Amino acid sequence: MKKYQSYTLQNYGQIPQSVSLSREDRQAIEVVGRVLPFKTNNYVTEELIQWDQIEDDPIFTLNFPRRKMLLPQHYKEVEALMTNGNDQQLRTAIEKIRMELNPNPSGQEYNIPEFNGIRLHGLQHKYRETVLLFPRPGQTCHAYCTFCFRWPQFSNLPDMKFSIKEDYELYIKYIKAHPKVTDILFTGGDPMFMNASLLRAHIEPLLSPALKQIRHIRIGTKVLAYWPYRFTTDEDADEVLRLFDNIIRAGKHLSIMAHFNHPIELSTSAVKEAIQRIRNTGAQIRTQSPVLRHINDQPELWAEMWRRQVGLGCIPYYMFVARDTGAKHYFEIPLAQSQTIFRKAYQKVSGICRTVRGPSMSDHAGKIQILGISEVAGEKLFVLRFIQGRNPDWVAKPFFAKYNPAATWFDQLEPAFGEKEFFFEHELSNYLRDALERDLGAY
Ligand SMILES: *Cc1c(COP(=O)(O)O)cnc(C)c1O
Ligand code: SF4
């Protein structure tokens, strides 16, 4: 049995393998780790990272701060204040830099509803069928991804944190008041950071006969990649699996939305056993990841990931485009290249693996998939479609943007054929305006 040991800025020197870190590596961890959250653990350091190649080891890059994850001017500023500044100056500079890193991308604040005059800070409701819940004890992870788009959840930016602070009964009432909601997605952080009884307290109210409308319960988690012992040898592993049994026995579909970034994460005996144990309960495992420079920007890696996932009984679900936040400049890939990676990987695998969709951007309006690059009437363009939309009517209709080889996000794209705006933009601005007015009303 492995006992969970986390490593942060305070104690990473105790990682036995850290002797192979150079002075420059340590300096980078110290500087960048003050701005972006840093945490890893003894499963990642012992079983996933290959310490003899840390200059470009994907899992090292996934957890450990590297110098280039901060822009040069930000790096220099923090480094200088660490030697010459006082605590207050350092703290102020770090705050300022964090605010420049776009802490809440894609207008997530617009998804927080107000119910009976109360803002539900731990709930996002963007798509008609699906409500996201952010249980308070699940707002941390077993390790932190350096590209994390939810990093403010861990960064002591209380105004930016999504978390259930209000009475949970209110959340249940909200769901009842929205009978079209069929899906609950627990997210974070990592909800699987919670112990079995906290998980049960959040999930069991959804199993009551009064909530027949709920068909699918999903848990978004990176625990299979960061701490698979959660389902094998942790003290309450069996209790967690019994809870999964209960969900299924209550007639709900349970899907673990597993976050895997690299095939290595699917290679250990611990993860294989964990997947097997989850599958034995009747739960499905669906997989997703952003496409990231320095980690998985090779078609073969994706093809291999999907093959291994299917081989282990998981269903490939999404390839995402990394959001515009945090260390985005370090990880970003032009949309055109992401589409090429997707296409080449998709071409390599059999139909069984082609349940995956992507690359997909979660923008204000919805999940926008880059279907391909094409040419119509002499104009080169991106063919796009909504996988999910704030308005469900937008979904699954192809639309077109001018080809732009450098664009890394939807806001850098323009409509094709000289049109002034995309077909949904007018309606979207009305949505956002209404959301703002609702907010103003609340204060
Ligand atoms: C991705 C996402 C969902 C789930 O969408 P599906 O297409 O059902 O997987 C729900 N809410 C938000 C805000 C999302 O980003
Ligand atoms: S597991 Fe998810 S929420 Fe946690 S650090 Fe990684 S990307 Fe962020």
Side-chain angles (χ1 to χ4, degrees):
M1 178 179 162
K2 201 168 190 126
K3 197 172 167 317
Y4 175 70
Q5 168 69 57
S6 68
Y7 298 112
T8 63
L9 213 46
Q10 277 69 46
N11 68 344
Y12 73 93
Q14 291 164 22
I15 302 171
Q17 297 84 351
S18 71
V19 289
S20 48
L21 295 173
S22 68
R23 212 179 57 82
E24 290 75 25
D25 293 334
R26 284 166 202 272
Q27 179 70 354
I29 292 169
E30 298 284 337
V31 175
V32 180
R34 274 183 170 64
V35 180
L36 297 170
F38 164 47
K39 176 160 93 175
T40 188
N41 69 53
N42 53 329
Y43 171 72
V44 177
T45 59
E46 287 166 22
E47 301 194 44
L48 299 183
I49 292 176
Q50 287 170 298
W51 287 90
D52 54 1
Q53 53 163 50
I54 56 170
E55 318 78 65
D56 45 30
D57 183 71
I59 308 296
F60 184 88
T61 308
L62 180 63
N63 271 191
F64 282 80
R66 291 192 189 271
R67 185 182 174 116
K68 291 193 172 147
M69 290 176 187
L70 281 189
L71 295 169
Q73 69 270 26
H74 288 159
Y75 190 94
K76 283 199 200 100
E77 187 177 354
V78 176
E79 190 179 42
L81 285 172
M82 280 168 57
T83 18
N84 309 322
N86 61 35
D87 278 3
Q88 183 55 45
Q89 287 167 316
L90 185 60
R91 234 175 307 139
T92 310
I94 289 170
E95 284 293 279
K96 183 201 69 166
I97 292 170
R98 284 181 177 165
M99 295 317 290
E100 287 173 26
L101 298 179
N102 191 22
N104 264 345
S106 306
Q108 292 178 78
E109 65 277 16
Y110 292 113
N111 310 338
I112 305 270
E114 197 192 289
F115 186 59
N116 296 345
I118 300 174
R119 291 252 294 170
L120 300 181
H121 289 91
L123 189 155
Q124 289 191 25
H125 191 184
K126 181 171 179 180
Y127 308 130
R128 189 174 56 197
E129 285 79 18
T130 307
V131 155
L132 311 190
L133 293 178
F134 294 72
R136 176 130 74 161
Q139 298 317 309
T140 182
C141 303
H142 291 81
Y144 292 149
C145 308
T146 40
F147 66 81
C148 179
F149 79 98
R150 289 263 168 78
W151 60 274
Q153 296 292 93
F154 327 125
S155 296
N156 207 13
L157 292 167
D159 296 347
M160 309 239 157
K161 195 161 166 167
F162 303 106
S163 149
I164 297 176
K165 300 173 214 169
E166 303 76 15
D167 190 358
Y168 196 51
E169 190 54 36
L170 259 181
Y171 287 73
I172 302 297
K173 283 194 185 136
Y174 177 89
I175 296 163
K176 280 191 191 143
H178 293 81
K180 293 213 167 110
V181 173
T182 54
D183 287 45
I184 302 294
L185 171 55
F186 288 96
T187 185
D190 194 332
M192 290 309 304
F193 201 86
M194 290 189 281
N195 64 27
S197 61
L198 283 167
L199 267 171
R200 185 176 313 108
H202 283 88
I203 293 177
E204 272 183 351
L206 301 170
L207 308 182
S208 97
L211 276 175
K212 272 209 195 63
Q213 64 181 94
I214 300 302
R215 306 276 188 97
H216 316 127
I217 294 179
R218 309 188 214 178
I219 303 175
T221 177
K222 174 112 185 140
V223 76
L224 280 167
Y226 278 163
W227 192 254
Y229 306 107
R230 192 74 201 83
F231 303 104
T232 60
T233 56
D234 274 7
E235 219 171 336
D236 61 351
D238 291 348
E239 213 182 323
V240 168
L241 294 170
R242 269 198 303 276
L243 172 63
F244 288 5
D245 274 333
N246 291 345
I247 297 170
I248 291 158
R249 239 178 282 131
K252 313 291 185 191
H253 173 90
L254 172 62
S255 186
I256 305 303
M257 308 305 290
H259 175 183
F260 288 112
N261 306 121
H262 194 281
I264 288 199
E265 296 169 327
L266 294 147
S267 68
T268 68
S269 54
V271 71
K272 289 177 189 167
E273 191 189 340
I275 290 173
Q276 191 59 55
R277 296 196 88 200
I278 294 172
R279 298 275 297 121
N280 286 347
T281 67
Q284 297 281 14
I285 303 172
R286 290 182 172 75
T287 60
Q288 51 193 29
S289 168
V291 52
L292 303 154
R293 195 150 59 94
H294 301 296
I295 292 184
N296 61 24
D297 55 346
Q298 305 291 332
E300 185 48 40
L301 286 179
W302 282 88
E304 185 54 21
M305 228 180 350
W306 296 335
R307 286 186 208 111
R308 283 191 196 185
Q309 288 164 357
V310 168
L312 294 168
C314 309
I315 303 169
Y317 194 62
Y318 277 138
M319 175 201 270
F320 289 120
V321 178
R323 295 197 201 202
D324 176 17
T325 183
K328 155 101 166 166
H329 65 277
Y330 183 83
F331 292 108
E332 73 186 355
I333 296 175
L335 299 176
Q337 194 186 337
S338 300
Q339 211 287 323
T340 305
I341 293 169
F342 180 87
R343 176 169 44 81
K344 288 192 170 159
Y346 196 82
Q347 286 171 349
K348 283 176 200 285
V349 296
S350 85
I352 291 282
C353 301
R354 290 188 187 151
T355 47
V356 66
R357 291 159 301 159
S360 164
M361 294 172 274
S362 284
D363 200 41
H364 284 69
K367 280 187 168 64
I368 302 174
Q369 180 183 15
I370 307 140
L371 274 177
I373 297 160
S374 194
E375 203 175 297
V376 175
E379 185 174 337
K380 195 167 181 186
L381 36 81
F382 284 117
V383 185
L384 308 166
R385 69 159 183 170
F386 280 99
I387 295 175
Q388 274 297 2
R390 256 181 218 279
N391 179 346
D393 293 345
W394 301 342
V395 170
K397 294 178 185 165
F399 65 103
F400 306 97
K402 238 187 241 170
Y403 180 69
N404 172 349
T408 56
W409 196 257
F410 184 70
D411 60 3
Q412 296 155 16
L413 297 182
E414 291 170 40
F417 313 123
E419 281 170 25
K420 287 216 175 50
E421 54 176 28
F422 291 105
F423 76 92
F424 58 88
E425 278 189 299
H426 183 69
E427 216 180 319
L428 175 66
S429 57
N430 288 345
Y431 273 108
L432 300 183
R433 191 204 53 219
D434 290 352
L436 275 182
E437 279 172 4
R438 208 172 55 214
D439 274 357
L440 289 175
Y443 292 105

